[in-house]
Amino acid sequence: MGEQFEFTAWSIYTGPTLLAPIIPDPNCPWVVGRWDAVNDNISSGEIRKDIDQRITAVVERFKSVIPLYTTHNRHFVIPEFFFRCKQGPYPYVKVDGQNYPFEYIRMQMQQQLQAVIPKDNNYYMVIIGSVLTSNVEDYDALLNSPPVQERLEDLNNILVSKPKLAHATGHTAWRRHAVIHPQLLRANPDLDALKERMKSYRANPLCTVRNRGVCYFFNATMMDAPQSWVYEKQNESTVDLTMGVIDEHGMLATGGMLTEWMANYPSYSILNGDKQTDASSSNARFTPDFMGNVDVGVEICLDHRLQRLRRTVDMTIQNGAAADNFPLFKQMIPSGGMQILDYSVAADRSSVIFNADGCDKIYYVYTDPDSAILDGDAGLFKGITCGVYNQSIQSKWQGNDGNTYYSHSQMAFCTNTSSIGGFNNALGLNNVKATTYNGSDTQPSNMLTDSYVLTVELVGMTTDLFGAGTGDIHNYFPKT
């Protein structure tokens, strides 16, 4: 199967810049930082300006790759958090007089992809990472409201050390969860108080933020228009937004942004399965036309670590699910600080898992920040990380703020004898894992994974949309 598929990731740093931990403690999961964008304010015109430039960038990068493809099944994936503005989530404003930001992005991307995909009888799948949106129209009113000001005062009272970190240097990983370092544990009253306060704020959000993306599927010879599916992140990470900024007085401020201590994701359940059953669904599984009775799954970042797609494998209508949830034919992971984890693989035998990340390195052990592949340098890699035999590309960027940032991509296939079944919640990480290699840990192999050649093409353009340039293109093409 491997020789039938090609995969491309636009590897670009999509996180905020001027990153620094809000408390100078290696166990602090919260950061201050600013989002790079081109909108001057949150008026409809300015938000549309930012969105249009991001759409144009995606289409131009995608167009540049089309002539390189040679197979019938072509995939282009960008990381999580590609679409956002200076305030973080796009506000709830109609950017063209009719559509709110997410609907506008979905419609415009579909029209522009349809215009550039040739009638060559090939199948194209484009996954646009994710889009941050909120249910707030007037950000100034919210940020100046008594509840926000009360929380801001409360947080500043907790942060007694008031570190002036807004221009800190050195790499601060904007990872999607807290990584606790037992060897560095020590008493920190500020951090302990902050953890308790953040629990309270998360339980009482002042606004709603959504983290959604769109997957497009199109064969211009056989279809009148692209199919598209909305997928939505279920699990809110520790730092899907920043905490704000540290101002010139060493005090925490919002910086005009929606912050981690204001917002929360909407809650929904996968107890009935995770397969899309109607056009308004934002579940993680769907079945494109012409692919038979198989599932494609798109899992945003922390959803992968928490085994979202793995948890629903083998849920069936017969057993009460809304639809049958098969092991996946393709498991796609757009992320901002995630990589493929063996206990989260939900792919069927001989099926692919592909990760396009916009925020971090690749680690041999995901929870060990000192275990980065290639000693933290940019380059190509083949081997086992987090129990998964994969081919990967790691990129390293110098940000406009002087800090170092990362992005990466990964591709793995399950072996032709791999087998996973229904998920037992009581077993958690110890459920049966898919097999991604034959042989030993020291001499792994997988005919499909090994059949690909990796190349990197530097985009090399300046931009105000992102804080570390326009990244590069990671190509995973089968050997000819």
Side-chain angles (χ1 to χ4, degrees):
M1 186 185 75
E3 70 277 2
Q4 303 173 16
F5 294 84
E6 289 163 312
F7 301 91
T8 297
W10 183 5
S11 190
I12 181 172
Y13 178 72
T14 54
T17 51
L18 291 172
L19 277 180
I22 194 170
I23 293 176
D25 186 302
N27 291 309
C28 180
W30 295 287
V31 297
V32 292
R34 293 186 180 274
W35 296 94
D36 294 272
V38 298
N39 61 299
D40 293 327
N41 53 57
I42 59 167
S43 66
S44 295
E46 286 295 305
I47 295 300
R48 181 174 179 176
K49 178 177 72 174
D50 182 86
I51 290 173
D52 283 348
Q53 289 192 30
R54 294 176 193 273
I55 291 173
T56 297
V58 174
V59 174
E60 289 301 312
R61 298 286 73 73
F62 175 60
K63 282 173 58 179
S64 73
V65 177
I66 291 176
L68 306 178
Y69 290 133
T70 60
T71 72
H72 293 299
N73 293 275
R74 305 164 176 194
H75 305 78
F76 184 85
V77 187
I78 62 177
E80 183 185 20
F81 301 116
F82 188 92
F83 288 93
R84 70 291 193 285
C85 64
K86 286 184 177 179
Q87 290 73 21
Y90 291 122
Y92 195 61
V93 296
K94 292 184 177 180
V95 295
D96 61 352
Q98 295 180 309
N99 297 286
Y100 294 102
F102 184 82
E103 289 73 22
Y104 177 79
I105 292 168
R106 182 181 188 182
M107 176 188 67
Q108 287 295 319
M109 281 296 312
Q110 178 164 319
Q111 292 176 357
Q112 295 196 36
L113 289 174
Q114 183 169 1
V116 301
I117 291 176
K119 289 189 175 182
D120 55 9
N121 201 27
N122 295 310
Y123 298 95
Y124 293 86
M125 181 171 285
V126 177
I127 295 174
I128 63 165
S130 78
V131 183
L132 284 180
T133 60
S134 82
N135 64 339
V136 178
E137 179 180 358
D138 189 338
Y139 281 10
D140 288 341
L142 174 65
L143 298 183
N144 290 304
S145 67
V148 168
Q149 293 302 308
E150 288 170 5
R151 290 189 180 188
L152 190 56
E153 181 180 4
D154 192 27
L155 287 167
N156 275 307
N157 287 333
I158 291 172
L159 303 171
V160 293
S161 56
K162 298 180 175 61
K164 295 183 178 181
L165 295 170
H167 296 284
T169 58
H171 175 57
T172 296
W174 191 54
R175 306 186 74 186
R176 306 278 60 79
H177 64 93
V179 177
I180 304 300
H181 314 297
Q183 72 276 18
L184 299 174
L185 285 176
R186 63 185 185 279
N188 188 328
D190 284 2
L191 182 56
D192 291 342
L194 181 58
K195 287 178 178 178
E196 291 305 310
R197 193 68 80 238
M198 288 300 292
K199 289 180 184 178
S200 173
Y201 293 161
R202 285 289 182 82
N204 298 279
L206 303 178
C207 62
T208 297
V209 168
R210 301 183 73 180
N211 189 342
R212 292 170 289 175
V214 187
C215 176
Y216 298 93
F217 179 75
F218 189 43
N219 181 319
T221 303
M222 303 177 65
M223 303 166 66
D224 293 331
Q227 288 183 288
S228 66
W229 299 267
V230 177
Y231 51 88
E232 183 162 10
K233 193 173 185 180
Q234 181 181 42
N235 297 286
E236 183 178 10
S237 305
T238 308
V239 282
D240 274 3
L241 302 172
T242 78
M243 294 290 281
V245 298
I246 303 296
D247 66 18
E248 64 273 17
H249 305 295
M251 304 288 286
L252 181 66
T254 67
M257 299 178 289
L258 295 196
T259 63
E260 197 65 43
W261 42 272
M262 298 178 201
N264 213 337
Y265 285 175
S267 176
Y268 65 96
S269 172
I270 57 172
L271 292 177
N272 202 31
D274 210 358
K275 182 73 174 288
Q276 295 203 7
T277 56
D278 56 63
S280 62
S281 174
S282 59
N283 289 94
R285 294 168 173 266
F286 42 85
T287 301
D289 288 345
F290 312 110
M291 286 184 58
N293 197 25
V294 298
D295 284 358
V296 172
V298 183
E299 194 171 39
I300 303 177
C301 206
L302 184 62
D303 282 1
H304 180 67
R305 184 171 187 245
L306 296 181
Q307 302 175 278
R308 175 177 175 176
L309 286 170
R310 178 66 183 92
R311 288 177 185 275
T312 53
V313 168
D314 278 355
M315 292 181 69
T316 62
I317 295 173
Q318 180 180 358
N319 291 330
D324 291 332
N325 293 250
F326 303 109
L328 298 169
F329 183 57
K330 300 175 186 176
Q331 183 173 5
M332 315 300 281
I333 310 166
S335 65
M338 187 54 58
Q339 62 189 81
I340 304 173
L341 308 174
D342 61 352
Y343 52 78
S344 297
V345 171
D348 204 355
R349 59 175 58 88
S350 303
S351 295
V352 70
I353 314 101
F354 190 73
N355 169 224
D357 182 85
C359 291
D360 210 356
K361 311 170 191 176
I362 301 169
Y363 300 88
Y364 286 106
V365 179
Y366 184 62
T367 53
D368 181 358
D370 297 321
S371 67
I373 64 168
L374 305 173
D375 295 321
D377 291 328
L380 279 59
F381 171 88
K382 182 163 72 170
I384 298 173
T385 59
C386 300
V388 177
Y389 180 61
N390 64 90
Q391 291 212 62
S392 303
I393 307 174
Q394 183 165 276
S395 294
K396 184 177 182 180
W397 312 111
Q398 184 75 16
N400 299 334
D401 58 1
N403 285 354
T404 300
Y405 297 102
Y406 290 86
S407 59
H408 73 255
S409 60
Q410 289 188 298
M411 181 202 68
F413 281 86
C414 292
T415 65
N416 60 6
T417 59
S418 177
S419 179
I420 53 175
F423 190 87
N424 183 337
N425 278 301
L427 294 178
L429 304 182
N430 295 314
N431 274 269
V432 174
K433 299 178 180 65
T435 304
T436 56
Y437 62 94
N438 300 305
S440 66
D441 291 351
T442 56
Q443 291 185 310
S445 66
N446 182 321
M447 181 177 63
L448 294 175
T449 304
D450 294 335
S451 68
Y452 279 78
V453 174
L454 280 53
T455 61
V456 179
E457 299 177 23
L458 184 65
V459 177
M461 298 170 62
T462 59
T463 180
D464 292 324
L465 293 170
F466 301 97
T470 52
D472 53 25
I473 296 296
H474 295 178
N475 292 317
Y476 295 71
F477 292 166
K479 295 177 182 177
T480 56

